[in-house]
Amino acid sequence: MAEFMSLRDAIAANLRDGDSVAMEGFTHLIPYAAGHEVIRQGQKDLTLIRMTPDIIYDQIVGMGQAKKLVFSWAGNPGVGSLHRVREEIEAGRLAIEEHSHAAMANAFEAGAANLPFAVFRGYRGVDLPKVNPNIRSVTCPYTGEVLATVPAVRPDVAIIHALKADREGNVLLEGIVGVQKEAVLASKRSVVTVEEIVEDFGPRSTNAVILPAWTVTAIAQVPGGAHPSYAQGYYKRDNAFYIAWDKIARDKAVFLKWMEENVLASGPETFAAQARRFAVAAE
Amino acid sequence: MTDYTPTEIMTIAAARLLTNDEVCFVGIGAPSAACNLARLTHAPKITLIYESGTLSTRPSVLPLSIGDGELCDTALTTVSVPEMFRYWLQGGRITIGFLGGAQIDRFANLNTTVVGPYDAPKVRLPGGGGAPEIAINCGQIFIIMAMGQRAFMDKLPFITSLGHGTGKGSREALGVKTRGPTQLITDLCIFEPDPETSELTVTSLHPGVTREQIQENCGWPVKFAAAVRETPAPDATELSVLRDLHARTKAAHAA
């Protein structure tokens, strides 16, 4: 049953050295405040799982906390490279398990469905199966078609950012929902940060994406916790920061100084001000 | 109006190939500019889908990322990412996949993974993302890329997504039933696969571009179709709509 905690306690109680962790959010609702808390606490030897590592994993990798990255597209969207991730891979210091988006999405879904592997029509005529031994195949028992398989993703911990929790600890997501529901249901434990905690979700679609309280381990309220990503209806994506990150991350010394000032010497409370800067006008 | 850049004619030539009837899976960057230009000019009813899950989206500015809020705000509906890849892409609901790439070969195979050996990369690129399955599960593929010796390669170091493999019949031999790349729109010309060999062949030269220029920017001996057309120059409307779109986008991303 979901427990309300401070972000610090939620991360400390759920993420240990050597864990595999999926901090998901497909461009939208990326759990930055939680990721920064992981950086402050300094858990080591993490296996980081994310379809699109984004700046959050560039930061964690750059701080030396990851031993392995499982991913399907490691770039700064519309800008270029994730320089910290790229440098570590090029130097051979970071192990990788690389997939396509379809493979990762299917693998999360298989994890949520308690299946050992995912099956899909993919990876034909390409080189990734030659370098990733986890990409295999199965023959359809009905048609004889050979289909691609990948192991289910079963992280130790899922960390996501959502819009709201109610007092019971149920969690609501709207907008681009990515693979967060699958990531939470596939994981042993989950930490959810939310923009706000409400008495009741109020009027909503009967098909809204809701994670019931009994599927979530810990909830922490962190307004603005997705910045520089965004929260639908709350604040917009800080595209200017994504563009600016290219210069910050390119040089290791500049990167470390930025991390010292903006993450290590900071705390989750600073995210609220960013949310106000990019606030969506009330309608 | 005759003043335009090579990138502008590339985007405009690509947009002209799209019609109202298409359901288009849109990559970020140049494909997104071309698809939205088509929507804002001659193809207002074209269906645009981005892999973040947004169906029938109508952004007023180009998204910087594949999942900007603008895409969700203006979409008919937004589905989860597993649903996007399973029901919509693998389900065969997409008529055109629109891709860019870092490197391409004469059979329109693409590399966006690595330059140099995979285990000891010279340059590590972002990777495939949605491309490997877009390339085999969409009805056909359009590719948009600027030409250059480092991009148009005689032999790719890594195949991220399948084009026509090693030539005619490769896709069929792999059990792939879709058509694959049918148009490659560049800043200098348009290539289409030769009907007999599937090798990319120049079918349309942009105004003022010479065959020598194309060869200088290509790492394999370029073939030209028997009848090579000239790409019509961009008209005033196409240019002004494209430039307005870029200006709105730039202002929005700097904010």
Side-chain angles (χ1 to χ4, degrees), chain A residues 26-144:
Chain A
F26 202 90
T27 305
H28 179 216
L29 293 176
I30 299 177
Y32 271 93
H36 286 186
E37 184 58 35
V38 170
I39 291 168
R40 281 187 294 274
Q41 294 188 15
Q43 282 87 343
K44 290 276 188 295
D45 297 325
L46 299 172
T47 293
L48 299 177
I49 305 165
R50 241 187 91 77
M51 293 181 67
T52 59
D54 208 87
I55 293 175
I56 189 62
Y57 279 5
D58 211 29
Q59 294 174 341
I60 298 174
V61 166
M63 297 303 282
Q65 292 172 266
K67 68 173 178 201
K68 184 176 177 186
L69 182 66
V70 182
F71 72 102
S72 44
W73 191 85
N76 181 346
V79 180
S81 292
L82 293 173
H83 294 288
R84 293 298 97 218
V85 166
R86 180 176 157 181
E87 186 175 295
E88 292 304 298
I89 295 176
E90 287 177 358
R93 289 190 293 260
L94 180 66
I96 59 172
E97 178 176 339
E98 183 170 6
H99 288 283
S100 65
H101 279 349
M104 290 280 286
N106 276 285
F108 272 115
E109 198 177 56
N114 194 25
L115 287 170
F117 69 92
V119 58
F120 64 107
R121 192 175 285 113
Y123 282 137
R124 290 188 183 162
V126 299
D127 285 341
L128 212 46
K130 297 176 190 165
V131 295
N132 179 350
N134 265 342
I135 300 169
R136 298 185 194 174
S137 63
V138 69
T139 302
C140 170
Y142 305 101
T143 64

Side-chain angles (χ1 to χ4, degrees), chain A residues 90 98 106 121 127 230 232, chain B residues 67 73 86 90 118 124:
Chain A
E90 287 177 358
E98 183 170 6
N106 276 285
R121 192 175 285 113
D127 285 341
Y230 70 102
Q232 188 79 26
Chain B
D73 289 338
R86 290 171 68 81
Q90 185 175 265
Y118 185 81
R124 178 60 224 201

Side-chain angles (χ1 to χ4, degrees), chain B residues 68-82:
Chain B
D68 281 21
E70 175 77 11
L71 294 172
C72 183
D73 289 338
T74 60
L76 176 64
T77 186
T78 298
V79 301
S80 75
V81 168

Side-chain angles (χ1 to χ4, degrees), chain B residues 214-226:
Chain B
I214 290 172
Q215 186 59 67
E216 281 163 20
N217 286 285
C218 187
W220 68 81
V222 180
K223 295 215 169 101
F224 294 84

